[in-house]
């Protein structure tokens, strides 16, 4: 949880310190913005290749190396005196985070019984959301009070605590022997549906959210001093959403994913339709915030169940596609903005989120074929993971444990 908090804070901290970093390094604000955009693109592109490359390395060693990279890159960033050195440090952190989200989930949930794995995913998501509610605001305040390098150095310290803890306490085992190394209910069709819905949802969300400040000022007519308070409400709603969803995730995994995506669609389309009213804008913004975190959280949880092979590969694909959706959404919003003003970005984003809902509902309505018509276990796993010639037991997890 501490590592998740640190990585998410490191990813988003430059957003609150754009002007400070710009003045310190004597570069444009847009150039500093690329520190965030380049970070997300790196995570999107590198997640799956890195997970495949490191698939045979014990997870304790992988996590130790990733946290070491976080510490080193944060120290380099804190000592950077040029924009290019800072950019290199950011890209190193992004590479570490790309693999971290793929490895962390199976390792963490594998330490607990299967029936409480949803709550474990929820705890990790709460830590990630706290980065936006607590980590970035606190880092922004500290950076403005002292210097922008100070909160970056603090992140190195937090990463070091996580590094020592994992290196000393986490058991060492082969990746395929981890209790959560494979999906509990492998389903290639469900995997594709969740991946597509998550990507569409992320693209839709960030088509509008990227331009939220402009929307609140131009459409809702909030004064600049109030926008910050509205964003605190958004972050609080996100934290509340992942907390509530985490508590229910083990009982209603499928329904909660659909509910989160549908709530996001309502929030975005509501902002488009009624965002000129400040009260309505706050209500729909809270709905959007309450759904944004749970969407990614519920797709990650789904991957632990429906992964047609190794869960780390499935989680890497999900994280990569979600970050690709973030980048695509920001780009799409930039194209819509001059054509249909800032309200149009929320209409486009809401329609994309509705498409994600349609994908999920369509997947549920598809008739399940009889068991004898389903593809063989070997066919499903030839591409995605380790193959077993033995008949599939009631729980694949038992097969992995009994026949490593």
């Amino acid at each position: 949880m501490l590592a998740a908090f640190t990585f998410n804070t490191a990813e988003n901290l430059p957003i609150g310190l754009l002007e400070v970093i710009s003045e310190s390094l004597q570069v444009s604000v847009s150039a500093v913005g690329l520190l965030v955009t380049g970070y997300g693109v790196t995570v999107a592109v590198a997640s799956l290749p890195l997970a495949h490359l490191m698939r045979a390395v014990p997870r304790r060693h992988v996590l130790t190396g990733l946290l070491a990279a976080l510490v080193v890159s944060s120290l380099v960033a804190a000592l950077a005196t040029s924009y290019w050195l800072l950019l290199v440090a950011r890209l190193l952190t992004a590479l570490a985070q790309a693999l971290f989200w793929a490895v962390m989930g199976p390792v963490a949930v594998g330490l607990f019984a299967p029936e409480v794995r949803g709550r474990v995913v929820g705890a990790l998501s709460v830590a990630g959301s706290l980065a936006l509610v607590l980590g970035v605001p606190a880092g922004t305040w500290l950076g403005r009070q002292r210097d922008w390098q100070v909160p970056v150095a603090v992140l190195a310290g937090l990463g070091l605590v996580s590094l020592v803890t994992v290196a000393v306490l986490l058991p060492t085992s082969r990746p395929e022997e981890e209790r959560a190394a494979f999906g509990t209910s492998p389903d290639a069709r469900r995997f594709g549906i969740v991946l597509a819905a998550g990507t569409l949802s992320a693209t839709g969300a960030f088509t509008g959210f990227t331009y939220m400040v402009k929307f609140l000022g131009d459409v809702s007519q909030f004064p600049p001093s109030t926008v910050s308070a509205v964003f605190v409400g958004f972050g609080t709603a996100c934290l509340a959403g992942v907390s509530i969803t985490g508590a229910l995730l083990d009982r209603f995994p499928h329904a909660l994913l659909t509910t989160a995506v549908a709530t996001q669609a309502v929030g975005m389309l509501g902002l488009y339709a009624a965002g000129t009213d400040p009260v309505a804008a706050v209500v729909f913004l809270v709905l959007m915030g309450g759904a944004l975190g749970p969407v990614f959280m519920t797709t990650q949880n789904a991957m632990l169940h429906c992964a047609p092979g190794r869960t780390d590969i499935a989680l890497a694909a999900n994280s990569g596609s979600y970050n690709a959706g973030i980048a695509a959404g920001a780009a799409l919003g930039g194209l819509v903005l001059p054509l249909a003003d800032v309200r149009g970005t929320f209409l486009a984003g809401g329609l994309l989120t509705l498409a994600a809902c349609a994908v999920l509902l369509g997947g549920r309505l598809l008739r399940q074929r009889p068991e004898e018509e389903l593809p063989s276990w070997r066919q499903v796993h030839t591409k995605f993971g380790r193959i077993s010639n033995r008949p599939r037991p009631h729980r694949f997890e038992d097969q992995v444990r009994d026949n490593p």
Side-chain angles (χ1 to χ4, degrees):
M1 288 176 69
L2 179 60
F5 172 84
T6 306
F7 267 116
N8 273 17
T9 301
E11 178 180 6
N12 296 287
L13 185 58
I15 295 175
L17 297 172
L18 287 176
E19 296 86 357
V20 178
I21 297 175
S22 172
E23 294 176 4
S24 174
L25 300 181
Q26 297 182 344
V27 295
S28 66
V29 172
S30 60
V32 180
L34 286 175
L35 296 175
V36 179
T37 306
Y39 193 109
V41 171
T42 301
V43 173
V45 172
S47 292
L48 197 55
L50 284 177
H52 184 75
L53 181 66
M54 304 298 289
R55 66 189 183 280
V57 182
R59 306 292 87 174
R60 174 172 167 265
H61 298 162
V62 172
L63 282 173
T64 302
L66 295 176
L67 291 169
L70 171 63
V71 173
V72 171
S73 61
S74 297
L75 289 175
V76 171
L79 298 173
T81 56
S82 71
Y83 172 79
W84 296 108
L85 184 58
L86 179 59
L87 178 61
V88 169
R90 290 279 299 172
L91 294 180
L92 176 58
T93 309
L95 288 173
Q97 182 165 334
L99 186 55
F100 172 79
W101 285 112
V103 173
M104 174 213 36
V107 172
V109 301
L111 299 172
F112 295 85
E115 57 268 20
V116 297
R117 287 180 177 176
R119 276 182 276 173
V120 179
V121 174
L124 298 171
S125 298
V126 166
S129 298
L130 274 174
L132 299 178
V133 180
L134 176 62
V136 174
T140 300
W141 176 84
L142 183 59
R144 292 181 182 276
Q145 293 295 315
R146 303 288 296 276
D147 196 26
W148 66 266
Q149 289 97 335
V150 175
V152 178
V154 171
L155 293 178
L158 296 178
L160 183 61
V161 174
S162 299
L163 167 62
V164 172
T165 304
V166 167
V168 172
L169 298 179
L170 190 68
T172 302
S173 59
R174 296 172 60 189
E176 64 271 19
E177 295 174 357
E178 297 279 351
R179 292 180 60 189
F182 296 89
T184 55
S185 304
D187 187 338
R189 181 178 63 85
R190 173 72 179 166
F191 169 79
I193 289 170
V194 172
L195 199 64
T199 305
L200 282 170
S201 178
T203 305
F206 284 86
T207 298
F209 180 69
T210 305
Y211 304 95
M212 179 62 74
V213 172
K214 183 174 177 60
F215 182 94
L216 293 175
D218 295 356
V219 178
S220 303
Q221 300 295 310
F222 282 106
S225 58
T226 309
V227 170
S228 297
V230 174
F231 264 96
V232 170
F234 179 90
T236 303
C238 182
L239 181 61
V242 296
S243 300
I244 295 170
T245 304
L248 301 173
L249 197 52
D250 289 307
R251 296 177 60 190
F252 312 105
H254 299 314
L256 286 172
L257 172 56
T258 306
T259 300
V261 175
T263 303
Q264 179 182 300
V266 171
M268 299 197 73
L269 293 175
L271 283 167
Y272 165 74
T276 53
D277 179 72
V279 175
V282 170
V283 170
F284 287 115
L285 185 65
V286 166
L287 282 177
M288 183 182 172
L292 191 60
V295 168
F296 182 67
M297 169 185 173
T298 49
T299 59
Q300 289 286 88
N301 182 68
M303 293 297 160
L304 292 169
H305 293 284
C306 71
R310 287 267 295 269
T311 51
D312 54 354
I313 302 297
L315 288 168
N318 189 55
S319 178
S321 64
Y322 191 88
N323 279 275
I326 291 174
L332 177 61
L335 294 175
V336 171
L337 193 60
L339 300 176
D341 71 45
V342 71
R343 288 181 67 204
T345 64
F346 282 85
L347 175 61
L351 293 176
L352 282 170
T353 310
L354 278 181
C357 284
V359 169
L360 290 171
L361 293 175
R364 296 188 69 176
L365 292 175
L366 286 176
R367 183 176 61 87
Q368 276 279 25
R369 288 177 292 172
E371 184 69 24
E372 61 270 18
E373 296 180 11
L374 289 174
S376 70
W377 194 240
R378 168 174 283 276
Q379 289 174 321
V380 172
H381 283 77
T382 297
K383 180 178 180 181
F384 292 98
R386 190 172 183 176
I387 303 169
S388 171
N389 292 317
R390 302 184 184 187
R392 179 183 176 186
H394 180 64
R395 281 175 37 189
F396 183 60
E397 181 183 74
D398 294 336
Q399 180 185 7
V400 176
R401 184 172 58 250
D402 298 337
N403 305 284

